[in-house]
Amino acid sequence: MADALLFHTEGATATYVEVILPLALPKPFTYRVPEALVQEAAFGKRVEVQFGKSKRYSALIIGLKSEAPAHDTKPIISVIDEAPIVTKAQIALWRWMADYYLCTLGEVMNAALPANLKLASETVVTLSPLFDRDFEGLNDQEYLIAEALTLQQELSIDDIRGILQRKSVYPLIRAMLDKRVIYLKEDLQEKYKPKTIGCVRLQEPYASQPNTLNEAFDKLSRSGRQTEALMAYLHLSKQLDFVRKQDVYDKAQVDSTVLRAMEKKGILEIYDREVSRLGGYEEETVNAQDLSAQQTTALEGIKQAFASEKPVLLHGVTGSGKTRVYTELMQEAIARGEQVLYLLPEIALTTQIISRLEKTFGGDIAIYHSRMSNNERVELWNSALNGRPVLLGARSSLFLPFQKLGLIIIDEEHDPSFKQYDPAPRYNARDTALYLGHLHGSRVLLGTATPSLESYQNAQKGKYALVQMRERFGGLKLPGISLVDLKQEQKERKLQSHFSSVLLSSLRQTLGRGEQAILFQNRRGHSPVYRCTTCGWHAECIHCDVSLTYHKFHNNLRCHYCGYQAALPPACPACGDKKLALQGFGTEKIEDELKVYLPEARIARMDLDTVKGKHAHARLINDFEEGRLDILVGTQMVTKGLDFEKVALVGVLSADQLLQYPDFRAGERAFQLMMQVAGRAGRKHRQGEVLIQGFNTSHPVLQEVLNGDYAGFFAREMMERQEFHYPPYLRLIRITLKHTKPERVNEAARLYEKWLKKALGQWVMGPALPTVARVRGYYLLDFMIKIPHGAKNLQKVKAIVREATDNLSLAQGLSSVRVNTDVDPY
Ligand code: ADP
Ligand code: ZN
Ligand code: ZN
């Protein structure tokens, strides 16, 4: 299968090409190929084209034709690439996505291609900081551009066209990007910082004349620690190509002041060494540990299922050792000469897993993530084309150009961040990966401790094979989970702010034993509501229909939807009274109050507000891991993939908030979040403890969490879904109409409703106001279409929706109403 989907170069006879433009056009566009370019034009190459009156784009060839189309065609201006940049399998995936998720090929291409492969007239370039003014290697035209950039800092592609006085400039831009003479501007602002490692080496003359080293030791004779450090360095330099500062610290038990003093004395030099941007670590890889009996059994089960060409759902409790099973399968795939795609929900939050995989696979693994520069992305893209064995990344890594994709691992398959909400394509990476696997004939493994309902149902129906791991690795017990009834605590006057007496005393005991705790509250900021106690007014965003959250650190109110900020009004703007109160609580308040109750504890917070910087998240995890912190307070970030040795206690501050969320998946999400965060407790040496606080302790989900009863949870939740007509018993498509003027959305919705209901009748719900009915100044109205299973139903609905959307764009006065379509909007 795969071979047929790779490149082919029957470009020689094409006189017309079908291309995808990076726009939301309903169909591919056809251009004529001038005689001179016929040899070059081929599937998968980019071409420079004009679209509209004057705009230039790079468009991608996805089809070649010899007959003229019915309409007039414009010629392509140039062929940008020497070799194709995408494979046939990729285009097949894009076509499937555009069809399944009701969007355009242009939108899919925009999501799929790295920025460097998508040039447009307004793209701005600058000279690379790595370009050392070596103009010799440049041809005349490149020289002109480089020179202009030394004078002018930045130029748009249109500017360059003006300077060169020629029609076609994209191939030239591409060549200069490839040579690292120029960069896209957006890249340099934030992302381009080479990764470096602090290293040490000898200064001269010691470096080149080892016989002079005695003098160095003489110079240090008065400092034992410096002497130790020099000996350590010399020892290490015999074994290693580069000696890191850290290596010397570890070996000689010294710190940076010692090295700096030696630098001043002219003996050692501290320098930064750039590490290869793709390969990541150059550390030695470690040998795999032996499999446990449970892992061996699971592995056999998985391989058997693969032999019958079924995807496998690996349902293994937290700490059961799923990662080791994955690595075994990955190694086998690599040995067969295949590529592996390892999908993770959020790269930034899973640094621990990544470093484990890096240690196992070394240079075989490459990581695709959002904080890469555009150049790094292209490097990685090319390395996938060249057959790099393991590609790991969040959802967008499924767009890489795989050659021989043998295995796809979808880790934490239940995680909501596999779903992209905005912009289109609004896709679910787990579901798309299954199709990708189908295209390549790859084995697909979905792993999790808390399967999504749809995956578990697929396993029950026999569409997936189910493999289970019920025990933690090393015979470790699952944590003991208990509920803390806040009503009772309140009655007995034991509740202190948001902390039960049980939680506080457990925290004290844990810290007393020198162990650590994690506290989970799924809301950031200090207080989510600022309310007048006299008239009930509360502070709302001026752009969105949501209340503003108080942030104590900044001492202001902030919108979590659009970022709007406002000062705290000193009096109620409605009634003028000054009795204003903060209500509810987020992580910031918890951290704050905890410092009062546990003044000795070292507490840190992990949420969107504290992990903004590039390395902030990694630093927090590191501090916690190395025991520089006692308590980590955080949002769902603390539920993901963390594995700390000394965490003995996990506290969930408010189960109520999780369970009351207005969404049909609230129960499922709450179960998953609580089980995942509970899984952080007691992972290495002893049984951990989990305390879940709540006012409504009789909620069935809580009992299921308490008993670790996935089967019970699944059965009850499925019954509710069936009764109230929700997935996985049927499909949903959500359509959101938006406009800045409410009357426009209303009018559009009336028309849209008529068209939908005429064709689809009672499958259509709405129009209705969504929970947040205005966002960033746009008024929203939602339709929900509930579609009974069956491919025909789905095709029919999609055709109707496309038609209604087209009609609306032609309707008088309503063409500016935006329509967002979301298939499987959960
Ligand atoms: P899961 O992903 O299923 O939650 P992990 O893969 O994180 O579980 O494994 C839990 C712990 O057990 C980790 O600390 C891991 O290093 C350890 N572990 C798993 N398998 C083995 C093995 N075969 N040998 C040694 N340690 C293992
Ligand atoms: Zn008031
Ligand atoms: Zn807002």
Side-chain angles (χ1 to χ4, degrees):
M1 175 82 188
D3 279 351
L5 292 166
L6 295 181
F7 313 132
H8 69 165
T9 38
E10 70 238 25
T13 57
T15 30
Y16 296 91
V17 287
E18 261 196 322
V19 304
I20 313 178
L21 284 146
L23 303 167
L25 299 173
K27 276 194 285 197
F29 219 72
T30 303
Y31 284 87
R32 182 158 40 82
V33 184
E35 193 63 40
L37 295 177
V38 164
Q39 288 298 324
E40 282 176 67
F43 172 88
K45 290 189 186 181
R46 287 169 302 161
V47 288
E48 183 175 3
V49 296
Q50 183 167 333
F51 186 80
K53 280 214 185 71
S54 62
K55 285 257 188 182
R56 297 286 176 79
Y57 293 95
S58 67
L60 186 70
I61 302 181
I62 57 162
L64 307 160
K65 292 195 274 196
S66 44
E67 312 94 69
H71 58 86
D72 271 356
T73 50
K74 289 194 189 118
I76 59 174
I77 299 164
S78 65
V79 177
I80 301 175
D81 299 300
E82 280 148 22
I85 60 160
V86 297
T87 64
K88 290 226 150 173
Q90 281 178 292
I91 300 303
L93 183 73
W94 297 5
R95 284 187 191 277
W96 177 83
M97 288 181 80
D99 177 63
Y100 186 85
Y101 291 109
L102 276 169
C103 63
T104 68
L105 274 172
E107 287 168 322
V108 180
M109 179 173 80
N110 267 340
L113 287 185
N116 271 19
L117 300 179
K118 291 184 295 199
L119 304 172
S121 303
E122 16 346 304
T123 306
V124 173
V125 299
T126 74
L127 220 43
S128 157
L130 297 181
F131 174 62
D132 46 12
R133 310 280 140 117
D134 172 16
F135 291 90
E136 304 240 320
L138 306 180
N139 68 30
D140 288 355
Q141 306 222 320
E142 291 169 348
Y143 179 88
L144 263 178
I145 301 304
E147 196 186 41
L149 280 169
T150 50
L151 299 173
Q152 236 169 307
Q153 312 299 336
E154 57 180 66
L155 294 169
S156 74
I157 290 187
D158 264 354
D159 296 338
I160 292 177
R161 194 173 284 126
I163 293 172
L164 295 179
Q165 295 287 314
R166 57 186 269 181
K167 244 176 28 175
S168 161
V169 297
Y170 282 14
L172 178 75
I173 306 276
R174 196 220 74 217
M176 292 180 83
L177 281 169
D178 285 354
K179 288 185 192 166
R180 300 293 158 77
V181 178
I182 57 173
Y183 268 52
L184 297 191
K185 188 190 161 204
E186 59 189 286
D187 233 18
L188 287 174
Q189 290 174 337
E190 175 82 28
K191 293 177 186 154
Y192 187 76
K193 286 191 199 99
K195 244 196 249 165
T196 57
I197 289 185
C199 292
V200 281
R201 61 188 167 210
L202 285 171
Q203 297 196 24
E204 290 299 344
Y206 315 112
S208 52
Q209 300 171 37
N211 55 334
T212 58
L213 271 170
N214 281 341
E215 295 164 30
F217 277 107
D218 287 345
K219 276 198 203 174
L220 300 179
S221 60
R222 290 223 312 250
S223 163
R225 304 210 309 151
Q226 295 180 17
T227 305
E228 291 265 318
L230 183 55
M231 280 175 17
Y233 169 81
L234 292 172
H235 191 84
L236 288 163
S237 66
K238 287 206 188 99
Q239 306 162 339
L240 304 167
D241 294 342
F242 305 97
V243 178
R244 294 189 191 181
K245 288 192 290 188
Q246 193 63 44
D247 299 333
V248 178
Y249 299 161
D250 293 346
K251 194 161 175 73
Q253 294 294 310
V254 296
D255 61 17
S256 60
T257 50
V258 172
L259 288 191
R260 276 202 298 270
M262 296 170 74
E263 190 172 41
K264 279 214 188 97
K265 289 185 185 167
I267 292 166
L268 288 181
E269 181 194 357
I270 300 172
Y271 69 104
D272 285 332
R273 219 171 68 72
E274 191 174 335
V275 296
S276 132
R277 282 181 290 132
L278 256 191
Y281 283 67
E282 292 151 50
E283 269 162 28
E284 273 181 44
T285 54
V286 294
N287 282 332
Q289 305 129 316
D290 289 337
L291 295 176
S292 69
Q294 181 179 240
Q295 285 167 333
T296 308
T297 314
L299 194 65
E300 275 163 14
I302 292 169
K303 285 200 220 166
Q304 253 171 32
F306 280 161
S308 66
E309 297 189 0
K310 270 189 193 176
V312 177
L313 176 62
L314 175 60
H315 179 198
V317 298
T318 52
S320 56
K322 296 186 286 295
T323 320
R324 182 67 187 85
V325 176
Y326 301 154
T327 55
E328 193 67 21
L329 291 164
M330 290 161 79
Q331 263 151 347
E332 292 179 11
I334 296 172
R336 287 191 299 264
E338 298 167 354
Q339 281 177 306
V340 179
L341 169 63
Y342 191 120
L343 279 174
L344 272 168
E346 278 167 291
I347 287 294
L349 301 186
T350 32
T351 45
Q352 282 187 325
I353 291 200
I354 293 172
S355 72
R356 263 157 76 186
L357 292 173
E358 273 180 331
K359 286 208 174 106
T360 311
F361 294 101
D364 277 352
I365 195 167
I367 296 159
Y368 198 57
H369 57 89
S370 61
R371 290 191 178 170
M372 279 177 139
S373 73
N374 289 326
N375 273 296
E376 290 172 307
R377 277 170 190 272
V378 174
E379 267 175 58
L380 205 141
W381 186 274
N382 291 332
S383 94
L385 265 180
N386 296 331
R388 170 83 63 141
V390 184
L391 295 137
L392 179 150
R395 57 181 182 240
S396 62
S397 55
L398 55 81
F399 291 120
L400 287 167
F402 303 100
Q403 291 287 24
K404 201 173 173 215
L405 186 56
L407 173 66
I408 302 176
I409 290 170
I410 307 165
D411 197 4
E412 310 291 358
E413 68 85 25
H414 66 278
D415 197 287
S417 48
F418 279 127
K419 161 80 183 167
Q420 165 151 320
Y421 285 97
D422 238 0
R426 298 182 176 81
Y427 65 104
N428 184 309
R430 174 198 59 212
D431 302 341
T432 308
L434 281 154
Y435 189 79
L436 178 69
H438 165 75
L439 277 175
H440 284 267
S442 354
R443 302 166 170 86
V444 182
L445 179 63
L446 304 98
T448 175
T450 51
S452 62
L453 287 196
E454 55 275 19
S455 293
Y456 205 75
Q457 192 199 32
N458 279 329
Q460 288 210 324
K461 287 200 284 199
K463 227 172 121 183
Y464 301 165
L466 180 65
V467 174
Q468 294 191 300
M469 291 167 75
R470 298 169 198 274
E471 316 262 295
R472 280 189 158 184
F473 177 79
L476 206 72
K477 278 198 188 159
L478 281 164
I481 307 182
S482 4
L483 282 183
V484 182
D485 185 347
L486 294 182
K487 276 197 310 282
Q488 191 64 25
E489 285 258 335
Q490 209 167 38
K491 222 189 272 165
E492 295 171 16
R493 299 185 182 274
K494 289 206 231 148
L495 188 63
Q496 303 200 51
S497 184
H498 309 290
F499 301 94
S500 62
S501 58
V502 182
L503 180 58
L504 280 177
S505 91
S506 270
L507 278 169
R508 291 198 178 98
Q509 283 169 19
T510 302
L511 270 47
R513 287 192 305 260
E515 293 175 331
Q516 295 173 309
I518 289 178
L519 294 184
F520 167 67
Q521 163 61 8
N522 210 16
R523 206 167 233 169
R524 66 193 169 94
H526 185 278
S527 308
V529 181
Y530 186 56
R531 190 186 298 277
C532 167
T533 52
T534 306
C535 76
W537 170 90
H538 71 277
E540 281 209 333
C541 178
I542 58 169
H543 308 294
C544 316
D545 283 350
V546 289
S547 63
L548 293 172
T549 299
Y550 173 60
H551 282 247
K552 187 169 177 190
F553 179 78
H554 301 281
N555 192 33
N556 64 8
L557 298 167
R558 297 179 163 216
C559 173
H560 287 180
Y561 278 74
C562 73
Y564 169 77
Q565 304 181 19
L568 277 80
C572 172
C575 73
D577 205 337
K578 290 199 173 133
K579 287 199 211 102
L580 292 160
L582 293 168
Q583 296 178 337
F585 63 103
T587 44
E588 198 185 16
K589 188 173 185 200
I590 294 303
E591 182 196 14
D592 227 48
E593 293 189 343
L594 211 51
K595 285 180 177 156
V596 178
Y597 296 121
L598 303 170
E600 312 280 271
R602 295 164 300 168
I603 305 169
R605 172 161 56 95
M606 187 156 94
D607 57 27
L608 263 188
D609 299 314
T610 63
V611 301
K612 284 223 172 94
K614 192 169 174 167
H615 302 296
H617 182 263
R619 215 175 296 133
L620 261 176
I621 289 186
N622 205 281
D623 284 353
F624 197 55
E625 214 164 23
E626 292 175 2
R628 279 186 285 246
L629 294 168
D630 302 311
I631 305 178
L632 193 61
V633 178
T635 53
Q636 37 89 23
M637 280 186 190
V638 300
T639 64
K640 298 194 186 186
L642 301 175
D643 182 7
F644 299 113
E645 222 165 303
K646 286 203 300 180
V647 174
L649 173 67
V650 167
V652 175
L653 282 147
S654 169
D656 308 307
Q657 277 177 24
L658 291 174
L659 292 163
Q660 284 158 9
Y661 201 74
D663 181 88
F664 75 90
R665 282 172 80 95
E668 183 180 357
R669 293 269 180 264
F671 181 83
Q672 287 163 349
L673 273 169
M674 283 188 270
M675 293 300 287
Q676 292 285 344
V677 73
R680 305 304 124 213
R683 304 233 325 159
K684 283 253 166 91
H685 299 304
R686 44 170 294 180
Q687 189 183 18
E689 180 188 11
V690 180
L691 293 176
I692 299 177
Q693 301 193 137
F695 282 95
N696 178 11
T697 47
S698 61
H699 198 290
V701 166
L702 292 178
Q703 291 306 316
E704 290 149 8
V705 170
L706 220 55
N707 302 326
D709 180 12
Y710 182 85
F713 153 76
F714 177 78
R716 184 193 46 73
E717 190 71 29
M718 287 296 275
M719 244 157 58
E720 285 186 16
R721 298 283 177 89
Q722 186 160 34
E723 185 174 348
F724 297 105
H725 305 291
Y726 276 112
Y729 285 101
L730 38 70
R731 264 174 204 291
L732 296 180
I733 295 183
R734 179 169 56 218
I735 298 152
T736 305
L737 307 191
K738 345 199 309 187
H739 200 276
T740 48
K741 299 208 177 74
E743 61 279 6
R744 290 278 168 83
V745 205
N746 283 333
E747 196 186 331
R750 268 195 300 277
L751 275 176
Y752 209 90
E753 180 185 8
K754 203 173 74 190
W755 296 326
L756 286 190
K757 287 196 172 152
K758 194 171 119 202
L760 303 173
Q762 59 200 17
W763 293 357
V764 183
M765 319 279 135
L769 290 174
T771 329
V772 178
R774 191 174 50 122
V775 176
R776 293 173 194 268
Y778 281 88
Y779 291 84
L780 316 183
L781 277 174
D782 271 0
F783 289 94
M784 193 67 94
I785 310 181
K786 291 188 166 183
I787 311 161
H789 280 302
K792 266 201 191 139
N793 290 342
L794 192 59
Q795 282 315 326
K796 174 179 165 191
V797 170
K798 284 180 179 172
I800 302 288
V801 170
R802 282 193 195 271
E803 194 187 313
T805 306
D806 284 348
N807 287 346
L808 194 65
S809 68
L810 301 172
Q812 184 79 36
L814 296 177
S815 60
S816 58
V817 174
R818 287 211 246 156
V819 181
N820 287 351
T821 313
D822 197 342
V823 179
D824 304 337
Y826 49 81

